[in-house]
Amino acid sequence: MSLSGVSERSVPATKIEITVSCRNLLDIDTFSKSDPMVVLYTQSRASQEWREFGRTEVIDNTLNPDFLRKFVLDYFFEEKQNLRFDVYNVDSKTNISKPDFLGQTFLALGEVIGGQGSRVERSLTGVPGKKCGTILLTAEELSNCRDIATMQLCANKLDKKDFFGKSDPFLVFYRSNEDGTTVKIDVYDWDRDGSHDFIGEFTTSYRELSKAQNQFTVYEVLNPRKKCKKKKYVNSGTVTLLSFSVDSEFTFVDYIKGGTQLNFTVAIDFTASNGNPLQPTSLHYMSPYQLSAYAMALKAVGEIIQDYDSDKLFPAYGFGAKLPPEGRISHQFPLNNNDEDPNCAGIEGVLESYFQSLRTVQLYGPTYFAPVINQVARAAAKIADGSQYYVLLIITDGVISDMTQTKEAIVSASSLPMSIIIVGVGPAMFEAMEELDGDDVRVSSRGRYAERDIVQFVPFRDYVDRSGNQVLSMARLAKDVLAEIPEQLLSYMRTRDIQPRPPPPANPSPTPIPEQP
């Protein structure tokens, strides 16, 4: 009989530790240098209010502090976690309630993690007419041991517990102390009704287990009750460790810190079923008072992903429109009207090009997804070393017209470093989109199944805040549609055995202005 098993593990919430330094701070003390302290505020998603999260220690008499006290935050890739760092001069402990303001900066946690080596440097502002210096932020992931132990064991001559047949053994592993050095293993005979019979136990250690990489290790299985009752008792069988290997489990943050970039591409539905953009009933209506569902979906997803793309240049396409001047129907036209370079500068640049396209093209049809999926897939296929991961956002209002071709495109793209987000806007039922989302049944085409689940579909109407709070609506949408991206990225890296690169060396910070004694 042989037994084999893999250690079970739970995935804790990702915690990020932020280290803070400042350079060339304002000097507002008369007889000495400033005594700086940094206060971190986080922003409530619902109310947008700033709340104090924590403070560093006060460092006396310096304009270039390196703070020892760090901030530990829960990190969620799918959320826009806005942070505010305020720097103060605290003359003495008695004056800590009324410190002098030295400057501040605003940014998202994703910007720190997505910075080169998970480091960013930002200018401090807020004191009119003054250069306030800079703040340096470094993010480090805090996590439990990421080692995954895989072992193969066999058992011999275990006590027979079943009357009519042989035992059905299984093992239960326990750590007997917090550092995990000692491991206790119980051996049971499995019973269908759950009243499993105890056979015996043995103890070992991580170090001893690891020796099995070079030699077999045999453990005696002992039953304490039998040992006490029977003088001639030897053991209740043996368990032999045949092999033991340890692999490290890398995280999403490991890859981002090692330089993996998220390349964001947008594709927007310009078919006539959306309605005339000049009419308030249109899903593309450009109201002076609020964003359309299309613009909200684009902004919600894009503002988070852009933190993980260093150049902030995003290809943006439209499909299903007639283009001027000859009225050619296109299923993949650049929103910026530049066939040679479809990139837009930042999400605001994408929005600007989208609004301009609405003024110039004619909404038409049909709704084809395959051309733009294949376009992004061609780019993803060129860089398969883990340094780039592509995310395509498709925003649409209705029934897809090229389902067969789209399934084929998705199946082909599933082997590439690529994910697809589909957001449905408007009142349509979107049954076809649900079929493309492979959570329940993996997408297939011509008898070939998608290698990975790379599609996430959601109808925007499920996330609209009833009170009309657009910020909350966008936050809810982004949280759901982006939640699968980290795991999809990791699944690609694992299947290709791609490990994260080591983070690049820290760029030397600007030389601080020498402090006068």
Side-chain angles (χ1 to χ4, degrees):
M1 170 200 66
S2 89
L3 304 168
S4 61
V6 180
S7 61
E8 293 186 5
R9 64 191 188 279
S10 59
V11 181
T14 302
K15 290 189 178 293
I16 297 294
E17 182 182 74
I18 301 293
T19 302
V20 183
S21 298
C22 295
R23 295 293 179 263
N24 304 325
L25 293 176
L26 272 176
D27 186 10
I28 61 176
D29 283 354
T30 304
F31 299 109
S32 65
K33 300 300 177 186
S34 295
D35 306 317
M37 171 187 73
V38 174
V39 181
L40 169 60
Y41 296 86
T42 58
Q43 191 175 41
S44 166
R45 187 178 69 176
S47 67
Q48 301 294 292
E49 292 181 358
W50 289 102
R51 300 170 182 171
E52 182 176 327
F53 181 85
R55 302 181 176 200
T56 67
E57 75 277 17
V58 177
I59 300 182
D60 294 334
N61 197 31
T62 179
L63 303 183
N64 304 293
D66 296 311
F67 296 99
L68 294 177
R69 189 174 301 163
K70 305 175 192 303
F71 301 113
V72 177
L73 299 133
D74 288 331
Y75 165 62
F76 304 97
F77 165 77
E78 66 272 17
E79 294 183 15
K80 187 77 170 178
Q81 296 176 265
N82 291 323
L83 309 176
R84 186 182 102 205
F85 293 87
D86 288 4
V87 185
Y88 293 95
N89 171 45
V90 183
D91 284 332
S92 67
K93 292 182 179 178
T94 58
N95 192 35
I96 197 168
S97 61
K98 295 182 180 179
D100 299 311
F101 181 67
L102 297 179
Q104 67 183 184
T105 194
F106 299 82
L107 77 172
L109 179 56
E111 292 180 77
V112 186
I113 295 170
Q116 186 178 30
S118 294
R119 294 180 290 266
V120 296
E121 180 171 1
R122 289 295 176 87
S123 296
L124 294 167
T125 61
V127 181
K130 299 286 186 180
K131 290 185 177 180
C132 301
T134 61
I135 187 168
L136 297 90
L137 306 168
T138 302
E140 189 73 32
E141 183 178 14
L142 300 179
S143 64
N144 296 331
C145 177
R146 302 175 188 171
D147 290 346
I148 301 174
T150 303
M151 61 192 78
Q152 184 177 21
L153 309 104
C154 71
N156 293 287
K157 298 182 179 179
L158 293 178
D159 286 352
K160 181 180 176 182
K161 293 292 183 179
D162 293 340
F163 188 76
F164 292 108
K166 296 180 180 179
S167 294
D168 306 304
F170 67 93
L171 306 180
V172 180
F173 289 74
Y174 302 92
R175 288 189 309 176
S176 59
N177 55 3
E178 289 190 2
D179 63 9
T181 53
T182 304
V183 180
K184 177 175 174 288
I185 302 172
D186 288 349
V187 184
Y188 285 90
D189 168 42
W190 180 84
D191 288 327
R192 187 178 299 275
D193 61 5
S195 59
H196 311 308
D197 299 313
F198 178 71
I199 297 175
E201 64 187 19
F202 61 95
T203 60
T204 183
S205 66
Y206 184 87
R207 179 176 295 179
E208 194 171 81
L209 288 169
S210 64
K211 290 179 181 177
Q213 298 177 62
N214 304 313
Q215 63 187 52
F216 291 170
T217 306
V218 179
Y219 298 97
E220 285 190 290
V221 179
L222 301 176
N223 187 320
R225 286 188 177 183
K226 280 192 172 185
K227 190 174 183 180
C228 292
K229 291 180 179 180
K230 298 181 179 181
K231 292 183 180 180
K232 295 184 179 181
Y233 176 80
V234 178
N235 59 49
S236 294
T238 61
V239 169
T240 303
L241 180 63
L242 302 175
S243 65
F244 182 88
S245 62
V246 177
D247 297 303
S248 293
E249 181 181 60
F250 298 109
T251 68
F252 175 75
V253 174
D254 288 330
Y255 288 96
I256 298 300
K257 192 168 186 176
T260 296
Q261 296 281 298
L262 298 188
N263 290 277
F264 182 48
T265 302
V266 176
I268 296 177
D269 187 336
F270 278 76
T271 57
S273 56
N274 286 281
N276 186 340
L278 301 177
Q279 300 296 325
T281 54
S282 172
L283 295 170
H284 282 301
Y285 181 59
M286 291 183 286
S287 167
Y289 307 108
Q290 63 181 14
L291 295 173
S292 68
Y294 276 92
M296 279 197 286
L298 195 163
K299 192 176 176 70
V301 176
E303 283 191 341
I304 291 175
I305 287 186
Q306 70 177 352
D307 293 340
Y308 304 88
D309 188 331
S310 59
D311 64 15
K312 305 289 189 291
L313 296 175
F314 308 120
Y317 299 95
F319 58 89
K322 280 187 174 181
L323 307 185
E326 69 277 7
R328 174 178 60 90
I329 298 174
S330 176
H331 304 292
Q332 182 195 333
F333 63 91
L335 295 183
N336 66 0
N337 200 33
N338 186 340
D339 290 315
E340 300 300 320
D341 183 8
N343 289 314
C344 300
I347 297 307
E348 292 306 317
V350 176
L351 283 167
E352 183 179 339
S353 296
Y354 160 58
F355 294 143
Q356 183 59 35
S357 290
L358 286 175
R359 299 185 183 98
T360 56
V361 305
Q362 178 188 347
L363 273 62
Y364 201 71
T367 304
Y368 287 170
F369 282 7
V372 72
I373 293 175
N374 289 327
Q375 169 75 12
V376 177
R378 284 191 291 272
K382 295 177 182 177
I383 308 175
D385 62 357
S387 64
Q388 309 288 327
Y389 193 85
Y390 291 76
V391 179
L392 169 62
L393 170 65
I394 300 174
I395 314 175
T396 185
D397 81 312
V399 178
I400 186 171
S401 305
D402 63 341
M403 191 65 169
T404 300
Q405 293 85 348
T406 295
K407 285 184 175 181
E408 178 69 21
I410 290 172
V411 170
S412 297
S414 67
S415 63
L416 301 173
M418 178 175 169
S419 291
I420 302 170
I421 298 168
I422 305 174
V423 177
V425 297
M429 296 307 294
F430 300 117
E431 290 93 343
M433 307 304 170
E434 298 283 2
E435 190 178 342
L436 298 178
D437 189 325
D439 285 343
D440 299 322
V441 179
R442 192 66 59 85
V443 177
S444 63
S445 174
R446 301 179 185 178
R448 188 164 61 108
Y449 283 85
E451 181 179 310
R452 302 180 296 123
D453 173 20
I454 64 169
V455 179
Q456 171 75 340
F457 166 75
V458 297
F460 189 26
R461 58 174 175 262
D462 290 354
Y463 304 89
V464 175
D465 181 64
R466 293 181 180 180
S467 68
N469 185 329
Q470 288 199 337
V471 173
L472 199 54
S473 298
M474 289 190 289
R476 289 172 176 169
L477 174 70
K479 183 176 178 63
D480 206 2
V481 299
L482 291 174
E484 294 184 9
I485 296 297
E487 183 53 41
Q488 289 178 357
L489 181 147
L490 289 173
S491 72
Y492 173 79
M493 301 299 185
R494 291 190 199 110
T495 56
R496 297 299 183 275
D497 197 24
I498 298 173
Q499 297 188 2
R501 293 177 171 85
N507 292 327
S509 59
T511 304
I513 298 172
E515 298 181 15
Q516 301 300 320

